[in-house]
Amino acid sequence: GVIHMTGPEIPFQRARSTEHREVRKRAIVEAVRTLLKTTDPLDLRMRPLASSVGISPSGIYRYFENIQALLLHVHLCDFEDVVLGLEDDSKLELSDLDTLASTITKIFLKEPRFLSLLSLTPALYEREVSVEGLIEHKLNLLSLMQRGAEAFMRNGQFTKTEDALQALGQMLAFALGLYPLANPSSTTKTALKHPELTFLNLDMSVELKAGIHTILKGWIEVG
């Protein structure tokens, strides 16, 4: 499964055991998460990352084959956070579709980096990621998708796991398509101030909730 990356910063020493390697790996991932608050993912470089962690750039390569593989791993960790939100039984209720759609929307948007990295995965796949690394990433994504679908099943939203899996995929696809439209470049934002274009200014939360509501309604009514 995917290792959930949380925990306090731990001073570095040479990692000699599996446990120590995981501690080192977690610290590298947390450093990336911090850097991505102010750095575009495609502008991330090994040297400033290594400096923030306190090891040499070559040290990071012992854990990740390159920046792209590291970003894909961070994306998996963010995806697991989303799945953990879906697995929180107390939040998912079938009785009120509006509340359910709102809850799923909040889970998707809790960490802005999640959809940002999700939108970049096709580009990252093309940037020197090995076939083995790509396969591993996709298998981990599939595992997380299945966990999300099982969370829907446990809470009564669906009667068939394959339906729950497809619905979750549709929600993510909708979020992925909406993300760049609701988060335009600075140039586009300026253009959208034109009186005839202001209707194109989208509120990500509002639009995503509406889309998820429609997807859920369709599946539940069909079911």
Side-chain angles (χ1 to χ4, degrees):
V2 179
I3 299 169
H4 190 51
M5 304 302 179
T6 57
E9 293 184 8
I10 298 175
F12 276 112
Q13 297 178 347
R14 186 173 179 80
R16 289 189 172 87
S17 70
T18 300
E19 183 180 351
H20 288 160
R21 284 183 61 83
E22 291 305 325
V23 169
R24 178 77 56 92
K25 198 171 183 179
R26 282 197 295 272
I28 292 171
V29 169
E30 290 307 319
V32 173
R33 284 176 152 176
T34 299
L35 285 173
L36 290 182
K37 292 179 180 179
T38 55
T39 304
D40 184 278
L42 295 182
D43 291 333
L44 188 65
R45 297 293 181 268
M46 278 295 190
R47 191 166 297 280
L49 170 60
S51 177
S52 68
V53 180
I55 59 176
S56 66
S58 63
I60 295 179
Y61 286 113
R62 297 191 186 103
Y63 304 90
F64 302 97
E65 59 181 336
N66 50 36
I67 282 287
Q68 291 75 34
L70 177 50
L71 286 171
L72 288 173
H73 186 80
V74 172
H75 172 247
L76 284 176
C77 297
D78 289 345
F79 206 143
E80 186 176 36
D81 285 342
V82 169
V83 171
L84 288 169
L86 296 176
E87 289 175 333
D88 185 343
D89 294 357
S90 66
K91 292 181 180 178
L92 300 182
E93 297 290 343
L94 178 59
S95 58
D96 184 348
L97 266 185
D98 190 67
T99 301
L100 177 59
S102 179
T103 298
I104 296 173
T105 297
K106 289 176 183 176
I107 292 171
F108 278 12
L109 298 182
K110 183 177 181 181
E111 174 48 68
R113 184 182 57 243
F114 168 62
L115 290 178
S116 173
L117 287 179
L118 179 62
S119 68
L120 287 176
T121 51
L124 293 174
Y125 286 157
E126 299 301 320
R127 288 183 168 220
E128 301 179 7
V129 176
S130 68
V131 173
E132 293 78 9
L134 194 154
I135 290 173
E136 181 182 4
H137 183 258
K138 284 187 172 293
L139 288 174
N140 273 305
L141 283 179
L142 179 58
S143 174
L144 289 170
M145 288 288 292
Q146 289 171 335
R147 280 175 53 186
E150 289 164 3
F152 284 152
M153 293 291 293
R154 284 195 300 274
N155 289 281
Q157 280 87 38
F158 295 85
T159 57
K160 297 180 181 178
T161 303
E162 56 266 34
D163 289 350
L165 189 61
Q166 192 170 348
L168 178 56
Q170 289 172 349
M171 293 177 205
L172 288 168
F174 182 80
L176 182 58
L178 180 62
Y179 181 80
L181 299 176
N183 295 276
S185 67
S186 56
T187 302
T188 302
K189 285 181 180 178
T190 301
L192 294 183
K193 291 179 181 178
H194 188 285
E196 294 182 32
L197 298 177
T198 54
F199 74 97
L200 293 174
N201 287 288
L202 302 179
D203 184 311
M204 182 71 185
S205 180
V206 171
E207 300 295 336
L208 182 56
K209 177 185 172 183
I212 289 177
H213 187 282
T214 300
I215 291 169
L216 285 169
K217 190 172 187 291
W219 277 103
I220 290 172
E221 286 187 351
V222 169

